[in-house]
Amino acid sequence: MPLNMSPAEREEFLAGLHVGVLSVASGDGAGRGPLAVPVWYTYQPGGTVNVSTGRGTRKARAIAAAGRFTLCAQDERPPYKYVTVEGPAVMKDATDAERLELARRYLGAEGGDAFIAANPGSADDVLIRMTPERWVSVDYGKS
């Protein structure tokens, strides 16, 4: 029996609350390997994968150089499942509303509001939007 998820299953899983692992070619010429970092993200089925960060961060610079990134979301509880998605990315200035949506997604309304109050935005904050092109998924619950 195939373990891969259907398109609807993988999109529903990716839209769920997971800390994603963002991977991107380093692109800094310093002989470093790829960069892989845990991130908060948002996703709605059929939409883009959205990550907020500072424009000067290593991940933002690497994504700007590569023009794309990969994100993996997993459930490490049995039966294990994961979705990996990769595609082209664009950056735009992040709005306060986008930053608040992301913080509330992971910390709840009260915690998200407190996080944003303690970490005010700056003109250097960017929202990186990735359009999913390639998907890999596994749901070991199907075995």
Side-chain angles (χ1 to χ4, degrees):
M1 172 179 276
L3 298 179
N4 58 310
M5 296 179 197
S6 70
E9 289 171 330
R10 70 187 186 203
E11 289 201 50
E12 180 181 343
F13 182 84
L14 188 61
L17 185 60
H18 307 279
V19 173
V21 177
L22 181 150
S23 299
V24 62
S26 180
D28 62 7
R32 296 181 187 160
L35 174 66
V37 293
V39 295
W40 291 351
Y41 71 93
T42 60
Y43 175 75
Q44 294 297 321
T48 58
V49 175
N50 308 303
V51 176
S52 178
T53 192
R55 189 178 314 274
T57 62
R58 183 174 172 209
K59 68 179 162 266
R61 291 190 320 267
I63 292 167
R68 59 193 314 109
F69 70 91
T70 301
L71 183 99
C72 180
Q74 69 174 0
D75 186 347
E76 62 277 352
R77 295 167 297 174
Y80 307 110
K81 19 174 124 167
Y82 71 87
V83 169
T84 298
V85 62
E86 183 260 331
V90 296
M91 275 185 219
K92 69 173 204 70
D93 293 338
T95 67
D96 291 339
E98 290 163 335
R99 293 180 66 248
L100 182 59
E101 175 189 10
L102 193 57
R104 285 180 172 176
R105 171 175 160 85
Y106 285 89
L107 302 174
E110 187 177 326
D113 292 350
F115 178 84
I116 293 299
N119 298 281
S122 76
D124 198 39
D125 291 336
V126 293
L127 186 74
I128 304 167
R129 295 185 183 275
M130 182 253 283
T131 301
E133 276 185 350
R134 295 188 191 110
W135 296 80
V136 176
S137 64
V138 171
D139 179 353
Y140 288 103
K142 292 183 171 192
S143 59

